[in-house]
Amino acid sequence: MHIMEGFLPGPWWQIWTIVAAICVVAGIAAFTKLVRQRPETLPLLGLAGAFVFILSSLKIPSLGSSSHPTGTGFGAVLFGPAITSVFCTVVLVFQALFLAHGGLTTLGANIVAMGVIGPLAACLIFRVGHLITPAFSVRGFTITMFSAAAAADLATYAMTSLQLALAYPAADGGILATFLLYIGIFGITQIPLAVVEGIAIVLLMRLVITVKPEIFVSLGILSRTETKTLGGVCDAETALPNSRKWVWVGILVVLITAVLAFSFAVYGAQPGTDDIVAGTLEGTGVVPWFEAGSLFSEEMHGWLFALQAALGTVIVIACLYWLRYRTNCGKGRCGEQKHTIFDEHILDDAAMASPLRHVPAWLKLVLCITAIIIAVTSPLPYVPLFIAAVMIAASFLLAKVSLHLYSSLLMIPVAFAGTGALVILFITGGGETLVDLFTIGPLHLSITTNSVALAVLVLSRTFAGMCCLYFLALTTPMTSLFEVLKSLRFPQEFVDLAMLIYRYIFVFIGEAISIHNAQVMRGGYGSFRNWISSFSMLASMLFIRTWDRGESIFLSMDSRCYDGCMVLPEEESRATPASVFAVTVFLAAAFLLLIFEWRFV
């Protein structure tokens, strides 16, 4: 589908750029208007854009060569060609800059073909097919949707053939002969892919209608009776989706999609239709007049295609979950309020409610400390990632930790670790240069193989350590850890001081939340100037208020006969053979993997 960089001469590339710019501007305006008027469609917009992102990353082998599906039929039917052109622009810019797939001078022509003509064909066929169907049925809807999705794919490549024919009319036969030549090259490969794409989009459309039927009614695509016919109404007994099931299925789908994209891009033996068309043009004496190149070396293209597919899949799964969750919450069945990282006693509440609450604290402490030591001493990222994966699985499956809470807690240290990894990525030298950015005096910013390896290693070690610490914190109350310290013969003063410090952390957080909420209720953060003033007042008052709360706590302790020794509640917990065996097996596996890494470094 992509016209390669420099293969479109003037004035054609200027003409298509102007046409594409008009369409994209209209699409941005339509996108903004839709979100403003119907904010509930935002996850569906994300889903449509991500679907284009996924399918366009898959260079699928077909008859004689390989090519990309477009994925534009889904968004075109829902939102029309204008908004779909915005999705396609994002995808095409990404591929032009990072993958040398398409180009900057041919970007306008590629947007018109993929983002305007293809979606327009899908939209027209769906509307006409929907109108001429005598009686709505599941079979009729499936055929209409399949035809629209396949038409979007085929119309895209037909438009690309027309663009090349207009730019390079044949001496014998003119525009028609050139058009038939290139449509023949594209058609042999693209017809089977259009069939596969049509089936995929029909399945996705049916799934989304089942999850969120009222959006299709509000957009005027289907009537309420038609959504009922398609099974799109969830009755009142529909259970709230299991977030853990979404997570694990989502991770599996993301990995499979990324592996497929990488495999098709790196190990695909067949040349792409874009390469065949470029070779045909060069055979007729056409020489590219412009070559922009790529920001990354060709060896990185497979990984970038995998990254594109993985990002798109993550967005698709997140949007589907959002649609399903908000649908059920809108019916008043959201259940109890979720924990957030701004709750004053969040860690203790989660630990007290954990099913692993009565597993001995010393066993969990040994598990986490040993796992952290193994992760930190690993020379490669595989062992830390293995430890992180096991800890995350144990937190979700065994400790029943909320996905929302866990991701919120993990986001903070990962953001700090990611910042450090970025510095390592651009500053550390050595090895083969993958991306050469720029040089300013003695400062040379580039990404090398050694810098990538070190950044990934540091990030994986940090991630594994935080997963271990969160598993310990979310399954073990602090009183149990203090009891372990006492059993290890730590001085009583040290244990008491640790308990007071821990308590005062939450006193500090609670006072900050109270002051902030009072300021928000009084419009303290309504403008930037008010924001600065309110934040400075919060910072100045926080220490004083925390000191006063601390004094009140100490007075209350004195009134209860505090004698300088804080008594901990006695807990009876014994390590079961199964828990000891599981911890031993995990640590042994991690240690063996560590030895294996050190032997092959």
Side-chain angles (χ1 to χ4, degrees), residues 347 350-352 354-359 361 364 368 394-395 398-401 468-477 480:
L347 294 179
M352 293 298 292
S354 173
L356 301 181
R357 157 81 172 83
H358 296 291
V359 175
K364 290 180 282 187
C368 294
S395 299
L398 301 180
K400 307 298 182 184
V401 178
C468 293
L469 290 177
Y470 279 139
F471 174 78
L472 180 65
L474 294 171
T475 60
T476 312
S480 300

Side-chain angles (χ1 to χ4, degrees), residues 421-450:
L422 283 177
V423 175
I424 295 173
L425 185 65
F426 290 108
I427 299 301
T428 307
E432 181 184 354
T433 300
L434 300 176
V435 180
D436 195 354
L437 297 175
F438 58 83
T439 301
I440 302 178
L443 179 62
H444 180 207
L445 289 185
S446 63
I447 300 176
T448 64
T449 53
N450 288 358

Side-chain angles (χ1 to χ4, degrees), residues 150-172:
D153 188 302
L154 298 176
T156 297
Y157 286 85
M159 185 61 192
T160 301
S161 302
L162 179 60
Q163 290 169 335
L164 292 171
L166 292 173
Y168 300 104
D172 186 10

Side-chain angles (χ1 to χ4, degrees), residues 18-32 82-83 85-86 89 111:
I18 294 172
V19 174
I22 295 172
C23 295
V24 172
V25 169
I28 293 174
F31 183 95
T32 305
I83 292 179
S85 68
V86 179
T89 301
I111 290 175

Side-chain angles (χ1 to χ4, degrees), residues 228-296:
K228 289 181 180 180
T229 304
L230 294 172
V233 177
C234 302
D235 58 19
E237 300 299 324
T238 303
L240 193 66
N242 189 333
S243 61
R244 294 175 182 83
K245 183 178 180 180
W246 280 90
V247 171
W248 292 113
V249 173
I251 291 174
L252 180 62
V253 173
V254 169
L255 291 176
I256 292 175
T257 308
V259 170
L260 286 176
F262 179 83
S263 302
F264 289 152
V266 175
Y267 301 110
Q270 295 175 309
T273 52
D274 302 341
D275 300 324
I276 295 176
V277 169
T280 304
L281 289 171
E282 290 175 344
T284 60
V286 176
V287 178
W289 62 271
F290 179 75
E291 293 185 8
S294 172
L295 295 177
F296 292 90

